[in-house]
Amino acid sequence: MAPPTQNTPPPTPTPPQRPLLGRLSLPERNYVAEALRTETVGGVLLLVAAVAALVWANTFGGSYKEVSGFHFGPGALGLDLSVAHWAADGLLAVFFFVAGVELKRELVAGELRDPKAAALPVVAALCGMAVPALVYFLTVVVGGGSTDGWAVPTATDIAFALAVLAVIGTSLPSALRAFLLTLAVVDDLFAILIIAVFFTSDLDFLALGGAVLGLVVFHLLLRFDVRGWYIYVPLALVIWGLMYNSGIHATIAGVAMGLMLRCTRREGEKHSPGEHIEHLVRPLSAGIAVPLFALFSAGVALNGESLAGVFTRPETLGVVLGLVVGKTVGIFGGTYLAARFTKAELNKDLAWADVLALASLAGIGFTVSLLIGELAFEGDTEMINEIKAAVLIGSLTAALFAAVLLKLRVRKYKELYEAEELDEDESGVPDVYEQDDPEYHLRMAAILERKAAEHRRIAEERAGAASDKPNSPA
């Protein structure tokens, strides 16, 4: 007699691996589109502010220095700051608050919630920061310069990058846009850590304890669903002031508060509190805070001698090479290695040339690079101005290089973008997300049947009109 067979359950099929730079889910696609729409407008304003700063500083340099150096604020609270200082420490706290909310959302509901999916942008961002720092370090060691500015070329400015895309008229597919946004979010996280760890000195533990206590109160208010801007805004200002006086860069307060917001939706909620507040604050950050920072930070006096000095001084040359070469090599190399070791296949609609173009676009390191440059060489006005000039030249060079690479593929991007946005059944949802929905196919069948009936009617009318015509003369 044959032994009884055991009924072993069939093996659970493993879900197909998402391709590298594959299509986003519909909710993620909608979030990315909304976020980047605001950042693109802010990026254009940032470009305008940067140009205005350069024109102002190079035509009426005296008034630019006078305005940016004008001090105001409550001195008794240690907040008698210059206009430029308020822009860097105050307004950028709003920018980093939005960055904190973005990071929290990515960790709990976005691309970073899945460790496998998160590996790619995290590795790419890490390599995109490590390689520029290494390029800067090698350049200044060979040239005998200061290594203090190693962190300057490590940042990516998402708003400036999107402004470049808007100017050259390139509509990237959603996967590339999301990859760029996630890269920038991870980049911001590590930039925040760099600022907190490497540019903190002379800690005032009493002020720091007060800031931490304020953050605890902020967290408890959120935990118990206390509502009202009139509670949170004054508390946020107190936390910011205490953080500034503690010796830790005040923008860290913005990040900490952003990370505390709940970014997951409860039953019946269309948007989480974090998404709602980000939607309200992002225009303030992108449209006011960052452009004003650029206006009072990018004003560098440029002439032939100073521009030539950018390429002869090791510190400034290191910044330019770090942004243009280091960022491109780091992000492209990190992405390629991550794909190679995870055996992820690149989206069949894209090519590695697209990753190279995106990596070069990430070499635009305007806002945070300017901030880190001021922190790295604090007290050395001449060096700070030269580093700012290097950041401007490096970012501009990276933008031009990326524009050329992206223009080579603009027709392909347009095709992919239009296919992603196509909504023939007018349901408000792109057709590519409805292919598994029977209702979509029924709607399309009805639309096509109406079109067919209309064409048959027109054909019958034309045929009847042709038969009524008299015969042509022989």
Side-chain angles (χ1 to χ4, degrees):
M1 180 182 292
T5 58
Q6 294 181 341
N7 294 324
T8 57
T12 304
T14 56
Q17 186 178 18
R18 178 181 164 184
L20 174 62
L21 300 179
R23 184 184 301 136
L24 303 176
S25 65
L26 182 59
E28 189 68 11
R29 172 255 184 202
N30 291 339
Y31 169 79
V32 169
E34 177 63 27
L36 295 188
R37 192 176 296 116
T38 304
E39 290 288 358
T40 301
V41 175
V44 173
L45 293 176
L46 178 62
L47 280 174
V48 172
V51 172
L54 289 171
V55 172
W56 187 3
N58 286 276
T59 52
F60 304 100
S63 65
Y64 181 83
K65 291 179 181 178
E66 185 177 345
V67 172
S68 61
F70 177 76
H71 279 67
F72 68 97
L77 299 178
L79 296 174
D80 183 18
L81 310 177
S82 68
V83 170
H85 209 160
W86 276 111
D89 287 89
L91 292 177
L92 278 195
V94 179
F95 166 79
F96 278 105
F97 172 79
V98 174
V101 179
E102 284 180 339
L103 177 61
K104 177 68 172 290
R105 188 201 165 276
E106 288 291 326
L107 289 170
V108 301
E111 291 290 284
L112 300 180
R113 72 186 185 280
D114 179 6
K116 291 183 179 179
L120 178 67
V122 170
V123 170
L126 280 173
C127 292
M129 299 185 82
V131 176
L134 180 62
V135 168
Y136 175 91
F137 184 80
L138 292 176
T139 304
V140 298
V141 167
V142 171
S146 170
T147 59
D148 291 346
W150 64 270
V152 175
T154 60
T156 293
D157 194 314
I158 181 67
F160 211 135
L162 292 172
V164 171
L165 292 177
V167 169
I168 65 176
T170 298
S171 297
L172 290 181
S174 61
L176 288 178
R177 286 179 285 158
F179 184 62
L180 183 61
L181 178 61
T182 308
L183 263 181
V185 169
V186 178
D187 194 288
D188 285 342
L189 168 64
F190 289 109
I192 291 160
L193 293 175
I194 287 172
I195 291 171
V197 174
F198 294 98
F199 299 107
T200 296
S201 60
D202 301 326
L203 280 177
D204 183 329
F205 288 98
L206 184 61
L208 180 59
V212 171
L213 180 61
L215 289 171
V216 170
V217 173
F218 190 88
H219 175 71
L220 290 174
L221 291 172
L222 292 172
R223 184 80 179 268
F224 290 104
D225 287 331
V226 176
R227 308 208 171 200
W229 64 267
Y230 46 84
I231 297 174
Y232 289 100
V233 172
L235 178 58
L237 291 174
V238 170
I239 293 170
W240 175 86
L242 288 168
M243 189 70 76
Y244 175 83
N245 282 287
S246 74
I248 296 177
H249 200 269
T251 53
I252 304 300
V255 177
M257 287 183 279
L259 287 170
M260 289 181 182
L261 294 179
R262 176 170 60 83
C263 293
T264 52
R265 300 177 189 178
R266 292 174 180 168
E267 188 176 352
E269 286 184 340
K270 289 185 177 180
H271 303 285
S272 67
E275 291 172 321
H276 176 66
I277 293 173
E278 181 192 13
H279 181 74
L280 295 175
V281 179
R282 185 187 287 275
L284 175 64
S285 169
I288 298 177
V290 174
L292 281 177
F293 167 75
L295 181 63
F296 293 108
S297 186
V300 181
L302 299 175
N303 53 48
E305 184 178 346
S306 64
L307 290 175
V310 168
F311 298 98
T312 56
R313 189 160 185 165
E315 293 89 350
T316 51
L317 180 60
V319 169
V320 173
L321 293 179
L323 289 171
V324 178
V325 179
K327 273 288 185 183
T328 304
V329 173
I331 292 175
F332 181 83
T335 306
Y336 181 80
L337 290 174
R340 180 80 179 267
F341 286 106
T342 59
K343 298 181 180 178
E345 293 185 2
L346 186 66
N347 183 347
K348 60 182 178 61
D349 293 325
L350 299 173
W352 283 106
D354 302 315
V355 180
L356 181 65
L358 212 62
S360 62
L361 188 65
I364 300 172
F366 188 75
T367 304
V368 180
S369 289
L370 290 176
L371 175 62
I372 294 178
E374 292 179 356
L375 297 174
F377 296 100
E378 189 173 6
D380 190 343
T381 305
E382 182 182 352
M383 177 62 83
I384 288 175
N385 287 333
E386 291 182 357
I387 289 294
K388 286 181 177 181
V391 169
L392 292 172
I393 291 173
S395 297
L396 179 61
T397 305
L400 293 174
F401 181 51
V404 172
L405 294 179
L406 291 167
K407 273 296 185 181
L408 295 176
R409 296 275 290 170
V410 68
R411 184 175 298 176
K412 180 65 175 179
Y413 295 151
K414 186 177 180 180
E415 292 174 359
L416 293 174
Y417 181 79
E418 289 176 350
E420 288 179 354
E421 298 297 315
L422 184 65
D423 182 20
E424 284 189 302
D425 65 335
E426 299 180 352
S427 65
V429 177
D431 295 342
V432 292
Y433 292 99
E434 297 187 301
Q435 297 303 309
D436 295 330
D437 183 5
E439 293 298 323
Y440 160 75
H441 294 285
L442 290 175
R443 288 193 297 270
M444 286 303 302
I447 291 170
L448 293 174
E449 286 166 3
R450 286 197 298 271
K451 288 183 177 180
E454 180 66 14
H455 283 294
R456 276 193 291 270
R457 183 187 64 77
I458 294 172
E460 290 171 358
E461 288 179 354
R462 298 289 169 84
S467 63
D468 290 340
K469 288 182 180 179
N471 292 331
S472 301

